[in-house]
């Protein structure tokens, strides 16, 4: 199973998912469906420090403090400080709800270099509707505070069928606030989003309009703001690579210490998931079955194996292949060469039926977690 | 863009320039990304940690590399590129 060149891969990016706890309830959350009963199983501060040291030794340079909401952890700022001292470039990915001016100042002193704040809508009502809390004004205030303290700020606007028409409003808002980076990130259909797909997947027409609106904005406002539009892959003919290539660039550590090549990999059946409590990050990165299983192209089945484009997309996303076809070795069904591409066509068709009677959005909370976890086990 | 004829500049204070053992090269880190630097880029950028004028920078480099004939033009090109990528920022007087 081992390939010769494992040492050539450097996990440039460590995604530190400090906790799955979060004050929001977004129905497109990429966190697992099961909510932890408590937080006792989370890694300790000492565990995280060891993980960060081992990641630096492997060559990791970027760290993203994420979750859930990373600031729910009381030691988040201390961990930022340690990461900065170790030579990491520190990014904080936050809902902004736990932020205060004082907390931002503490983050800056600790060495944070970039803060990304998410918005669920371009106005108070939409933002409250999809985040599950009335937080719009606080998010605006914290966005301004981050900019005032001269910390590079990125805004992340998660798009789906019910807010994608707000793209221009959101770009205007971001520009007025003085943001440097804006990510218009279409929901990707994993975890919670997959279960809400019929209610969230935009139509192709909506997508085209949103992308055109983004381009028009770029043409009309030639400022310093850098706006990226990330489309959902359902309308593509070729799949996206897994995280720049499975086990090549990214390493994710979950709140309990599982080490994954991407945020979703734990959904794949039949693999043992290594944990930092049992092994060093180096051993896991170089030698674990999980990280080696889908590295490169030798694991592929047809039609990927003989496809001339196999090096470009590496067969697409293993999690998506598993979720939608039940086989993690299958071609990502996004690819129109996949014999199971009809799964995607059916999903698009099913999402276009506007049925008010259909199941409402599942927001991420304990009740829905139990319901969806039971459904998934039953299927 | 930076007016290199009149303004002093230095490395963007929100970026990090450092040597990486695993990569065996210098990298410049910025929000969610990085660029691996050539030896020439490192030679120039490491002299921009403090505020500096283009004229002084070129004179200093020329002292250390007297045989480099196109040095002034090469450095100018590099500075333009570095400014367009926000690696360098202007220091207001």
């Amino acid at each position: 199973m081992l390939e010769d060149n494992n040492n050539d891969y450097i996990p440039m990016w460590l995604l530190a998912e400090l906790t799955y706890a979060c004050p929001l309830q977004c129905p497109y959350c990429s966190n697992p469906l099961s909510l932890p009963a408590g937080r006792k199983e989370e890694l300790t501060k000492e565990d995280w420090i060891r993980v960060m040291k081992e990641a630096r030794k492997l060559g990791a340079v970027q760290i993203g403090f994420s979750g859930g909401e990373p600031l729910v952890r009381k030691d988040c700022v201390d961990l930022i400080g340690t990461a900065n001292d170790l030579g990491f470039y520190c990014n904080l990915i936050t809902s902004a709800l736990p932020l205060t001016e004082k907390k931002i100042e503490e983050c800056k002193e600790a060495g944070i270099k970039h803060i990304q704040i998410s918005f669920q809508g371009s106005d108070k009502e939409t933002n409250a509707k999809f985040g599950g809390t009335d937080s719009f004004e606080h998010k605006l205030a914290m966005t301004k505070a981050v900019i005032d303290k001269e910390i590079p700020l990125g805004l992340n606007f998660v798009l789906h069928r019910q807010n994608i028409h707000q793209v221009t409003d959101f770009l205007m808002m971001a520009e007025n606030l003085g943001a440097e980076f804006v990510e218009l990130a279409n929901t990707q259909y994993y975890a919670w989003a997959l279960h809400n797909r019929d209610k969230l997947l935009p139509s192709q027409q909506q997508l085209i309009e949103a992308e055109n609106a983004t381009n028009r904005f770029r043409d009309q406002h030639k400022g310093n703001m850098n706006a990226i539009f990330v489309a959902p892959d359902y309308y593509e003919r070729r799949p996206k690579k897994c995280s720049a290539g499975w086990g090549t660039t990214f390493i994710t550590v979950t709140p309990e210490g599982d080490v994954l090549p991407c945020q979703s990999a734990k959904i794949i059946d039949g693999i043992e998931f290594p944990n930092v409590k049992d092994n060093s990050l180096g051993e896991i990165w170089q030698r674990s079955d999980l990280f080696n299983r889908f590295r490169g192209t030798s694991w592929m089945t047809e039609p990927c194996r003989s496809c001339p484009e196999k090096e470009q997309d590496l067969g697409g996303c293993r999690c998506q292949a598993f979720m939608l076809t039940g086989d993690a070795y299958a071609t990502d069904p996004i690819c129109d060469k996949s014999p199971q591409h009809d799964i995607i066509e059916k999903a698009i068709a099913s999402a276009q039926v506007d049925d008010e009677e259909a199941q409402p959005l599942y927001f991420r909370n304990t009740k829905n977690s139990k319901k969806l976890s039971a459904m998934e086990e039953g299927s | 863009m930076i007016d290199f004829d009149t303004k002093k500049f230095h490395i963007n204070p929100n970026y990090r320039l450092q040597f990486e053992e695993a990569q065996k090269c210098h990298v410049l880190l910025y929000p969610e990304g990085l660029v691996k630097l050539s030896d020439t880029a490192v030679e120039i950028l490491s002299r921009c940690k403090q505020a500096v004028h283009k004229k002084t920078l070129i004179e200093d480099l020329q002292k250390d590399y007297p045989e480099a004939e196109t040095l002034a033009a090469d450095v100018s090109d590099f500075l333009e590129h570095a400014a367009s990528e926000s690696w360098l920022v202007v220091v207001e007087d």
Side-chain angles (χ1 to χ4, degrees):
Chain A
M1 212 67 186
L2 289 188
E3 292 183 13
D4 298 336
N5 55 351
N6 291 347
N7 291 329
D8 294 348
Y9 295 123
I10 294 175
M12 301 296 240
W13 253 99
L14 170 62
L15 189 68
E17 293 185 329
L18 296 187
T19 177
Y20 285 141
C22 182
L24 298 185
Q25 303 185 28
C26 306
Y28 42 72
C29 184
S30 60
N31 283 177
L33 292 178
S34 61
L35 293 180
R39 298 183 41 214
K40 287 202 189 83
E41 302 301 314
E42 286 182 4
L43 295 182
T44 62
K45 184 174 162 186
E46 289 65 38
D47 290 331
W48 276 116
I49 292 172
R50 179 172 59 83
V51 166
M52 293 193 294
K53 283 183 180 160
E54 290 171 357
R56 278 293 290 141
K57 219 170 143 190
L58 289 170
V61 285
Q62 292 278 350
I63 188 167
F65 291 96
S66 167
E69 169 51 64
L71 289 165
V72 168
R73 287 238 347 187
K74 298 283 173 261
D75 52 8
C76 182
V77 175
D78 290 347
L79 290 172
I80 292 170
T82 306
N84 184 59
D85 293 344
L86 288 170
F88 274 110
Y89 193 89
C90 297
N91 305 272
L92 177 68
I93 299 148
T94 178
S95 65
L97 264 75
L99 278 180
T100 56
E101 296 224 11
K102 186 165 164 273
K103 187 67 91 181
I104 296 169
E105 192 60 50
E106 286 169 12
C107 287
K108 179 161 184 173
E109 274 166 30
I112 202 74
K113 292 289 189 295
H114 174 228
I115 297 184
Q116 187 194 80
I117 293 180
S118 63
F119 276 82
Q120 287 69 44
S122 72
D123 59 54
K124 190 174 154 70
E125 289 69 34
T126 315
N127 191 70
K129 183 175 173 193
F130 293 105
T133 36
D134 188 6
S135 57
F136 190 67
E137 263 108 39
H138 184 70
K139 281 170 185 269
L140 283 182
M142 290 306 105
T143 301
K144 281 184 199 139
V146 170
I147 293 169
D148 286 348
K149 294 193 195 306
E150 298 184 338
I151 304 169
L153 172 96
L155 291 184
N156 184 282
F157 193 46
V158 186
L159 300 178
H160 47 78
R161 179 156 96 232
Q162 304 189 39
N163 71 358
I164 195 166
H165 59 284
Q166 296 183 331
V167 157
T168 307
D169 291 344
F170 185 71
L171 287 167
M172 296 290 284
M173 181 184 107
E175 188 180 63
N176 291 336
L177 286 164
E180 277 182 67
F181 312 97
V182 176
E183 196 178 358
L184 298 161
N186 268 281
T187 298
Q188 305 291 330
Y189 294 92
Y190 297 85
W192 289 83
L194 181 66
H195 288 271
N196 287 311
R197 190 177 60 193
D198 278 353
K199 291 271 169 188
L200 295 177
L201 185 67
S203 70
Q204 188 150 30
Q205 190 54 34
Q206 278 183 304
L207 259 186
I208 293 168
E209 280 165 20
E211 218 165 350
N212 287 346
T214 309
N215 289 333
R216 267 199 308 277
F217 184 90
R218 286 199 194 107
D219 289 343
Q220 288 161 7
H221 304 250
K222 295 199 190 303
N224 294 321
M225 194 172 84
N226 185 9
I228 349 176
F229 187 90
V230 185
D233 54 358
Y234 275 55
Y235 292 99
E236 303 291 336
R237 291 180 52 244
R238 291 288 175 269
K240 60 185 184 301
K241 256 186 197 174
C242 159
S243 315
W246 177 283
T248 64
T249 315
F250 286 87
I251 195 162
T252 296
V253 180
T254 71
E256 287 92 30
D258 288 332
V259 187
L260 307 174
C262 73
Q263 283 166 279
S264 310
K266 262 197 99 170
I267 61 163
I268 300 177
D269 274 348
I271 307 188
E272 198 180 320
F273 293 95
N275 192 289
V276 292
K277 289 172 190 159
D278 310 316
N279 295 101
S280 76
L281 216 53
E283 279 172 274
I284 294 170
W285 178 258
Q286 279 152 10
R287 280 190 266 284
S288 69
D289 171 43
L290 175 68
F291 275 84
N292 284 307
R293 184 147 330 182
F294 298 114
R295 269 191 174 125
T297 55
S298 57
W299 57 269
M300 285 179 176
T301 55
E302 292 298 348
C304 288
R305 187 194 291 259
S306 54
C307 179
E309 295 171 58
K310 68 179 174 187
E311 297 287 346
Q312 283 150 44
D313 52 43
L314 298 173
C317 170
R318 294 304 86 221
C319 298
Q320 187 146 267
F322 178 77
M323 268 185 324
L324 301 182
T325 76
D327 177 8
Y329 291 82
T331 298
D332 185 336
I334 294 293
C335 184
D336 67 8
K337 294 185 185 181
S338 159
Q340 286 152 301
H341 183 63
D342 62 315
I343 294 173
I344 301 295
E345 289 165 351
K346 281 180 191 149
I348 292 173
S350 153
Q352 300 320 310
V353 182
D354 247 328
D355 181 2
E356 286 302 320
E357 298 296 304
Q359 143 257 309
L361 280 173
Y362 292 111
F363 285 85
R364 182 179 182 257
N365 57 37
T366 315
K367 192 179 113 224
N368 286 332
S369 166
K370 284 188 186 136
K371 199 168 173 180
L372 294 183
S373 302
M375 270 166 56
E376 204 147 85
E377 268 163 36
S379 68
Chain B
M1 269 301 135
I2 299 174
D3 179 358
F4 285 108
D5 292 330
T6 59
K7 296 285 186 189
K8 280 188 174 184
F9 51 90
H10 57 51
I11 293 183
N12 188 328
N14 290 313
Y15 289 18
R16 272 183 95 131
L17 169 66
Q18 62 196 31
F19 183 75
E20 282 300 312
E21 193 55 48
Q23 272 86 259
K24 301 265 183 297
C25 69
H26 279 81
V27 296
L28 188 68
L29 303 170
Y30 50 84
E32 299 192 349
L34 79 155
V35 57
K36 293 181 182 181
L37 298 171
S38 68
D39 292 346
T40 316
V42 175
E43 193 62 52
I44 301 172
L45 283 177
S46 58
R47 292 164 196 250
C48 304
K49 287 182 179 167
Q50 311 292 331
V52 65
H53 266 301
K54 181 171 125 178
K55 190 164 168 285
T56 328
L57 176 67
I58 290 176
E59 282 166 7
D60 282 357
L61 282 162
Q62 196 74 70
K63 249 180 246 163
D64 290 350
Y65 300 94
E67 72 288 1
E69 285 171 21
T70 59
L71 186 138
D74 294 345
V75 172
S76 290
D77 288 349
F78 176 79
L79 292 181
E80 291 296 339
H81 176 70
S84 72
E85 298 281 346
S86 304
W87 299 349
L88 297 172
V89 292
V90 77
V91 181
E92 295 300 339
D93 304 320

